[in-house]
Amino acid sequence: MPVEGKIISKFGENYLGSSNQGINIATKLGQDVKSVTSGTVIHAAHDDKFGNLIIIKSHNSDIFAAYAHLQDLMLKKGDTINTSDLVGHVGQSGDVSSPQLHFAVRNGKTPIDPIRFLKQEY
């Protein structure tokens, strides 16, 4: 998992008025968020809905991992990152009312349930 915490919204559940294409994990403000893959940062910017958003494209695949509602933007487009490296810190940016991480995985343009991708049982 990119961060320790409680899953408060699962993949496919209603989230902010639409189907959640990731998971939302509630945890402490400022908690470290770690990369689940090695790859290249393809997006690092503020978004009105998702707040501070980092998207990493895995090396040698079409897998993309998105980390949203971050407290900070520690990485920039073009940076390379390894599995377990620090992506940023849990924040409350964008349109959420409590500290949390929105974590999403896509294979190309197809959303994947991050729990299946991470191969962990919850």
Side-chain angles (χ1 to χ4, degrees):
M1 292 293 283
V3 69
E4 290 184 30
K6 179 182 178 187
I7 296 175
I8 56 173
S9 181
K10 295 179 183 176
F11 183 82
E13 289 183 343
N14 185 20
Y15 172 71
L16 301 176
S18 61
S19 178
N20 194 355
Q21 294 188 353
I23 59 175
N24 289 68
I25 306 164
T27 190
K28 298 182 298 186
L29 187 66
Q31 179 84 15
D32 287 352
V33 176
K34 304 286 181 98
S35 179
V36 300
T37 188
S38 59
T40 302
V41 176
I42 64 162
H43 180 88
H46 183 81
D47 177 270
D48 288 341
K49 181 176 181 178
F50 291 108
N52 294 324
L53 172 65
I54 302 281
I55 302 174
I56 298 170
K57 182 185 185 300
S58 294
H59 291 302
N60 303 319
S61 75
D62 270 346
I63 299 293
F64 299 84
Y67 308 81
H69 307 304
L70 297 170
Q71 186 176 50
D72 44 27
L73 288 169
M74 296 181 52
L75 302 172
K76 63 184 182 313
K77 187 175 179 178
D79 285 350
T80 57
I81 191 164
N82 294 309
T83 302
S84 297
D85 282 355
L86 187 65
V87 172
H89 300 94
V90 171
Q92 193 174 325
S93 62
D95 61 1
V96 294
S97 59
S98 62
Q100 61 187 272
L101 175 71
H102 174 75
F103 176 63
V105 176
R106 290 182 181 260
N107 184 356
K109 294 184 178 184
T110 305
I112 300 172
D113 184 346
I115 299 302
R116 281 192 6 223
F117 177 77
L118 296 171
K119 299 179 183 172
Q120 295 191 15
E121 295 295 325
Y122 290 90

